Amino acid sequence: MNRPIGYWIKRLDAALEAHLDSTLARLKLSRRQWQAINTLAETPISPEELAEALRPFWGDNSALRERELAALVGRGLIILSDGYLTLSELGYAKHAEANRLVEDSRRELSAGIGFDEYEIALSVLERMSINAERLAR
């Protein structure tokens, strides 16, 4: 049956979430916590900058954001210093461990897909997203 792109995007998104959730559960991390520590692994940023960076994944749900970040603070993975969130030593270690699992998972998920195919798919999805956002305004 020929399905529209929205069907495949939603199906892929649900499958990716389920797979990533089960992968990260081995480290007692949620997908959202992974997104936060992965963002903070690059550079310390303010809570507002983190919220903006994660908006495409988390939406505008401030209660969810606060709960997920509080869990990371409570586990000693992130700290707030001089108004910036950063990973602790434990956070960097957890990020490295999770990153290995996520990279392995990405390789498994893209099995049989050439690099060029992957790049084309990303390019098409990016342009369609931009078009859809423009049309929704």
Side-chain angles (χ1 to χ4, degrees):
M1 180 178 283
N2 191 10
R3 307 258 187 190
I5 193 165
Y7 169 85
W8 292 111
I9 289 172
K10 287 184 179 287
R11 183 172 165 182
L12 176 60
D13 183 58
L16 287 173
E17 279 197 38
H19 180 69
L20 191 55
D21 283 344
S22 68
T23 298
L24 293 169
R26 292 184 245 168
L27 301 177
K28 295 183 174 46
L29 286 173
S30 72
R31 178 179 49 88
R32 288 183 173 89
Q33 290 169 348
W34 159 248
Q35 291 161 340
I37 67 170
N38 192 47
T39 301
L40 292 171
E42 295 175 23
T43 186
I45 58 176
S46 71
E48 296 78 22
E49 291 169 320
L50 182 63
E52 187 57 35
L54 297 176
R55 187 177 315 284
F57 302 106
W58 296 28
D60 291 320
N61 188 335
S62 60
L64 171 67
R65 182 174 60 248
E66 289 173 17
R67 186 172 59 248
E68 293 288 0
L69 293 177
L72 292 170
V73 169
R75 291 176 60 190
L77 299 178
I78 64 172
I79 55 175
L80 181 64
S81 177
D82 296 326
Y84 288 91
L85 293 168
T86 189
L87 293 180
S88 65
E89 285 186 38
L90 182 61
Y92 279 109
K94 183 65 76 173
H95 174 263
E97 190 178 10
N99 195 52
R100 281 190 295 279
L101 289 177
V102 169
E103 288 301 317
D104 289 346
S105 176
R106 286 180 181 153
R107 275 190 298 282
E108 292 169 356
L109 289 166
S110 60
I113 300 169
F115 181 77
D116 291 345
E117 290 176 291
Y118 186 81
E119 290 297 314
I120 289 168
L122 289 181
S123 176
V124 168
L125 290 171
E126 178 184 20
R127 285 180 278 153
M128 287 184 78
S129 295
I130 290 167
N131 290 342
E133 289 165 353
R134 177 181 45 80
L135 293 169
R137 289 186 203 134

